[in-house]
Amino acid sequence: VNMPSEDIVALQSALLNLSLKCYRDQYEYGNKVLENTRKIFDNIASDTQVPTGTQAAKELVKMLKIPIDCYDILDVLKLNHYKLVLQLLSYRERHTVCMYIINGILDKETIIPTAEQVTQLFELLLTLIVDQTDNPSEASRQTITNEDFVEEQNLVARLCNNFQAINDPDQQYHIIKICQDTFKNGGLERMRFTYPPIIMQAYALTFRYKTIREQDEKWEKKCQKLFQLCNQLINTLTKLETNDLPLRLYLQGALAASEIGSENAETIAYEFFSQAYTLYEEQAGDTRAQCASLTLLIGTLEKVACFGEENHSTLRQSLTQAATRLVKRPDQVRTLLLCTHLFWSAQRVNESTQKSEQVRDGEKVLACLKKATKLTTQIMDQSVQVQLYNELLNCYIYYFNQNHPDIDITALNSLIEKLQSETSKISSNESDEFIRNQIQKTFDYLRQQSQVEKFQGLQINN
Amino acid sequence: MLVLVLGDLHIPYRVSGLPHEFRKLLTPGRIQHILCTGNLCTKETIDYLKTLTADVHIVRGDFDDNPNFVDQKVVTVGQFRIGLCHGHQIVPWGDVESLSMLQRQMDVDILITGHTHKFEAFERDNKFFINPGSATGAFNALNRLV
């Protein structure tokens, strides 16, 4: 038959439409149409792609969209000749169809529940997942500055969250492994997008294993494997130019391990936490990023409850010292104030009772507060200094309310006096209006509290 | 006047998108202001929020890929000063006393924070505190096991 190829496709397309719409449940009809389409092209010119931009290519794209519109993806995967027709197309058209497939899955909120189906789906989506030999753009276009690339990879990342083996954690584990095996061939620029969702899925899976621990005696070993997998994946991401993401993923892991409380939790949490700390140290050139990361490290440590005293002490000290080594004084002061909580409400495991207990080290809290006060005196900008005195006072009030043994009303009074005298020194111009207002708010609060019995003896005048 | 308060979506790292039923409620023009506690995490989601209304306010979450969002923001809606902060910067996370301190420092009537993925709405010292939780129900390592 000497029909031009685009007409052949249009014909096949119509046949496909017919079979899918009229014989919905008979997959073999649709499959046959796809098989024939492939055969026709193999006969015209075997092993040759349909050139991009041609009418035939356009018709093929239209044809491939039909099953995606008619079925959900799980049924499309039953059409095993679908991928053969997809392979006929050149890069640009394959790319279009793959994006269409993923968008279809996301719009319909289809869940893909088995490892086998995930594997089949990845076969179809290979164009987006690994470098393609027929991609006309150079590899350098695959960077985060290329919006199209970012959009495409974010789509793949979103898709991963639809891989859910409900009620079958072991199957979920297989899915995660398949994702890893597939994505590791995509190059670092793709892994930046595709690894984080599977890492988070792995953490979520450890929680699932914990809930079924009565039925699965191997749950702790399985959790261990998951954490090891995450360790590997995150380690790969450390090769990216910024450490923010792997650092945060490590901290999430430490938290997860601590919450799971499996037999190796402390080891895992310590490993992840110290990795995060190492990444923090490597951020030394970027003051803003470093300060943000240190804040996160402190916030996380305050919540990780599985460390014994030895490990916890090491980490508390490291973070506190790190706070004093930040470049800007105000950052030092503020971060030190955050560190006080590591010596107070943070928890570590008591060796004899094997239970988590709060540190409650009043001495060290006070030492941090005193150090922070000293650093504040060394600030030259008076407005900033006064603002920090206010924040210091608020911190003292916090520990006063917490019944810290060494922080009594006298301590508060002397700080109030100090703040009042420092405030009078700063000018009355507009830019300081905000700071004076903040101080006013603190004093208003204190005046409110002075009615409370605990605050008797509070000396605060106008 | 409708103000949408949401956050901790974690798209695409923990979920694939906002639930379909929720999206149906978000018709453009219906909402006047959006206050977002952060952790969206990508530009795609910001662009989507901007299709709903022009007045979108976002603060920096620990997983947002844009490091240039501010850490704190004050927005005035009607007679209210509303403070916005993700909350991972407040240690201990979710601590009510510390949040009170932040409310005083920002001098706001309503303080909105996120990070814990736990919905909260309470009054303290005559001020209002809100945590919109996670709009997508995203996983949070801190959640006690169900």
Side-chain angles (χ1 to χ4, degrees):
Chain A
V1 182
N2 289 330
M3 267 169 63
S5 41
E6 58 265 25
D7 289 342
I8 302 181
V9 180
L11 204 62
Q12 294 289 91
S13 225
L15 271 173
L16 185 62
N17 217 356
L18 182 72
S19 33
L20 293 187
K21 295 208 168 120
C22 299
Y23 301 99
R24 247 196 93 88
D25 298 325
Q26 266 103 309
Y27 302 107
E28 61 269 23
Y29 291 159
N31 216 9
K32 194 80 187 155
V33 175
L34 290 164
E35 189 183 359
N36 282 340
T37 313
R38 172 72 195 230
K39 280 207 184 117
I40 291 167
F41 278 92
D42 282 343
N43 285 337
I44 299 175
S46 80
D47 276 346
T48 318
Q49 287 171 323
V50 175
T52 188
T54 57
Q55 201 53 33
K58 290 194 184 124
E59 288 296 326
L60 277 170
V61 168
K62 272 206 289 195
M63 181 175 171
L64 288 171
K65 286 184 180 176
I66 296 172
I68 307 296
D69 292 334
C70 288
Y71 290 150
D72 75 22
I73 193 68
L74 300 177
D75 293 325
V76 175
L77 292 175
K78 294 181 188 155
L79 305 168
N80 54 359
H81 289 112
Y82 186 94
K83 64 173 183 276
L84 296 176
V85 177
L86 182 58
Q87 284 163 4
L88 288 172
L89 290 167
S90 302
Y91 176 79
R92 232 179 53 198
E93 281 83 17
R94 288 202 311 275
H95 185 277
T96 306
V97 175
C98 288
M99 297 289 276
Y100 195 80
I101 293 175
I102 301 185
N103 274 312
I105 298 173
L106 293 175
D107 287 341
K108 293 184 186 142
E109 296 189 335
T110 315
I111 300 297
I112 295 124
T114 69
E116 195 186 325
Q117 286 163 320
V118 170
T119 310
Q120 289 168 343
L121 181 58
F122 277 151
E123 275 176 25
L124 291 184
L125 299 176
L126 224 46
T127 307
L128 298 179
I129 297 174
V130 292
D131 285 342
Q132 301 290 290
T133 49
D134 63 340
N135 184 351
S137 5
E138 324 97 55
S140 62
R141 295 255 300 149
Q142 283 161 18
T143 63
I144 45 173
T145 51
N146 179 352
E147 271 188 28
D148 292 333
F149 178 71
V150 171
E151 188 196 334
E152 163 197 304
Q153 292 304 310
N154 269 328
L155 216 55
V156 176
R158 285 173 63 193
L159 176 65
C160 294
N161 293 295
N162 283 37
F163 301 159
Q164 293 168 24
I166 323 271
N167 293 330
D168 193 343
D170 289 338
Q171 181 72 209
Q172 190 74 44
Y173 179 76
H174 286 309
I175 290 176
I176 293 175
K177 287 298 284 178
I178 289 175
C179 289
Q180 180 201 16
D181 288 336
T182 310
F183 293 144
K184 72 174 193 267
N185 299 320
L188 192 58
E189 286 304 324
R190 287 196 181 84
M191 288 186 233
R192 171 207 297 274
F193 296 93
T194 54
Y195 273 9
I198 48 179
I199 293 164
M200 293 312 301
Q201 247 189 51
Y203 291 151
L205 186 55
T206 61
F207 280 75
R208 270 169 78 183
Y209 274 126
K210 178 150 191 192
T211 51
I212 59 158
R213 62 191 177 284
E214 308 287 320
Q215 292 97 46
D216 188 347
E217 51 174 25
K218 296 208 188 98
W219 76 278
E220 285 174 312
K221 292 255 166 356
K222 292 180 181 178
C223 287
Q224 168 92 0
K225 272 170 78 174
L226 283 164
F227 283 116
Q228 273 167 343
L229 172 65
C230 290
N231 197 6
Q232 245 187 313
L233 296 172
I234 303 175
N235 197 26
T236 310
L237 294 177
T238 59
K239 303 195 183 86
L240 293 168
E241 69 286 338
T242 54
N243 280 336
D244 281 341
L245 186 59
L247 189 153
R248 282 145 178 76
L249 290 169
Y250 270 129
L251 289 180
Q252 286 290 308
L255 270 172
S258 170
E259 286 298 305
I260 298 295
S262 53
E263 58 192 1
N264 261 336
E266 189 179 357
T267 313
I268 296 168
Y270 192 82
E271 173 69 21
F272 276 52
F273 203 91
S274 51
Q275 293 274 27
Y277 186 78
T278 309
L279 292 176
Y280 156 78
E281 289 186 311
E282 288 169 14
Q283 289 182 326
D286 185 343
T287 38
R288 198 170 163 208
Q290 237 198 353
C291 196
S293 296
L294 185 53
T295 303
L296 214 45
L297 282 160
I298 296 167
T300 308
L301 183 58
E302 197 272 338
K303 286 287 179 249
V304 172
C306 65
F307 293 131
E309 173 59 21
E310 203 182 315
N311 279 333
H312 200 266
S313 171
T314 308
L315 294 174
R316 295 196 294 261
Q317 303 289 15
S318 304
L319 296 186
T320 312
Q321 278 168 21
T324 59
R325 287 197 309 264
L326 288 172
V327 174
K328 297 188 194 157
R329 281 262 185 267
D331 288 343
Q332 290 173 353
V333 173
R334 291 193 167 106
T335 315
L336 259 178
L337 293 183
L338 294 181
C339 286
T340 57
H341 299 281
L342 298 177
F343 296 98
W344 191 255
S345 57
Q347 296 181 355
R348 78 288 184 251
V349 178
N350 178 318
E351 239 190 273
S352 21
T353 65
Q354 281 301 300
K355 281 207 158 78
S356 292
E357 284 172 4
Q358 294 187 322
V359 176
R360 286 285 198 254
D361 185 345
E363 244 180 71
K364 286 272 165 48
V365 169
L366 201 56
C368 283
L369 291 172
K370 293 220 153 95
K371 175 92 189 173
T373 312
K374 180 159 171 234
L375 289 169
T376 308
T377 62
Q378 295 169 1
I379 292 176
M380 282 180 66
D381 183 327
Q382 285 195 314
S383 310
V384 173
Q385 195 187 44
V386 164
Q387 193 179 32
L388 286 169
Y389 274 127
N390 183 34
E391 288 172 41
L392 263 168
L393 174 57
N394 274 286
C395 205
Y396 269 85
I397 295 171
Y398 179 93
Y399 284 103
F400 178 79
N401 279 326
Q402 289 276 310
N403 298 320
H404 185 292
D406 305 315
I407 295 177
D408 53 12
I409 205 75
T410 334
L412 285 188
N413 283 336
S414 70
L415 243 168
I416 294 170
E417 204 188 307
K418 174 88 181 171
L419 181 55
Q420 281 170 330
S421 76
E422 293 297 319
T423 310
S424 60
K425 289 185 197 163
I426 58 170
S427 60
S428 338
N429 63 24
E430 256 187 62
S431 55
D432 293 336
E433 165 87 36
F434 179 68
I435 297 174
R436 276 200 307 280
N437 190 33
Q438 285 183 325
I439 297 168
Q440 201 48 48
K441 292 287 164 227
T442 306
F443 288 158
D444 286 345
Y445 168 77
L446 282 170
R447 278 189 206 100
Q448 259 178 5
Q449 299 300 110
S450 64
Q451 311 298 332
V452 174
E453 196 196 311
K454 194 187 171 93
F455 279 81
Q456 267 202 16
L458 182 72
Q459 280 162 10
I460 179 160
N461 43 31
N462 246 352
Chain B
M1 151 121 69
L2 277 185
V3 178
L4 176 63
V5 177
L6 83 176
D8 289 309
L9 277 63
H10 287 285
I11 305 169
Y13 297 147
R14 299 185 201 185
V15 294
S16 52
L18 276 170
H20 187 61
E21 293 79 38
F22 186 52
R23 278 179 82 115
K24 278 199 289 203
L25 299 172
L26 303 178
T27 46
R30 226 182 135 207
I31 298 165
Q32 280 70 49
H33 309 277
I34 295 184
L35 303 177
C36 184
T37 56
N39 274 352
L40 290 172
C41 307
T42 62
K43 183 169 175 292
E44 217 182 306
T45 309
I46 303 171
D47 290 342
Y48 166 69
L49 291 178
K50 289 195 174 145
T51 65
L52 302 175
T53 176
D55 197 40
V56 178
H57 301 273
I58 306 175
V59 286
R60 188 181 66 88
D62 54 335
F63 273 95
D64 279 309
D65 66 2
N66 183 340
N68 295 321
F69 290 144
V70 291
D71 276 299
Q72 291 175 6
K73 217 175 193 196
V74 177
V75 179
T76 308
V77 178
Q79 310 158 313
F80 296 107
R81 275 175 63 87
I82 305 178
L84 201 52
C85 178
H86 180 247
H88 70 270
Q89 308 94 329
I90 308 301
V91 181
W93 295 339
D95 178 61
V96 176
E97 278 289 349
S98 304
L99 290 175
S100 286
M101 264 166 54
L102 180 63
Q103 174 268 316
R104 287 197 298 275
Q105 264 177 347
M106 293 177 77
D107 186 22
V108 291
D109 305 304
I110 304 173
L111 179 63
I112 304 177
T113 54
H115 186 55
T116 62
H117 293 211
K118 210 174 136 206
F119 171 76
E120 312 243 30
F122 60 89
E123 210 181 305
R124 199 173 200 251
D125 300 331
N126 260 337
K127 306 290 178 187
F128 208 51
F129 293 80
I130 300 177
N131 183 333
S134 161
T136 53
F139 166 74
N140 181 338
L142 270 184
N143 281 337
R144 297 291 161 188
L145 301 170
V146 223

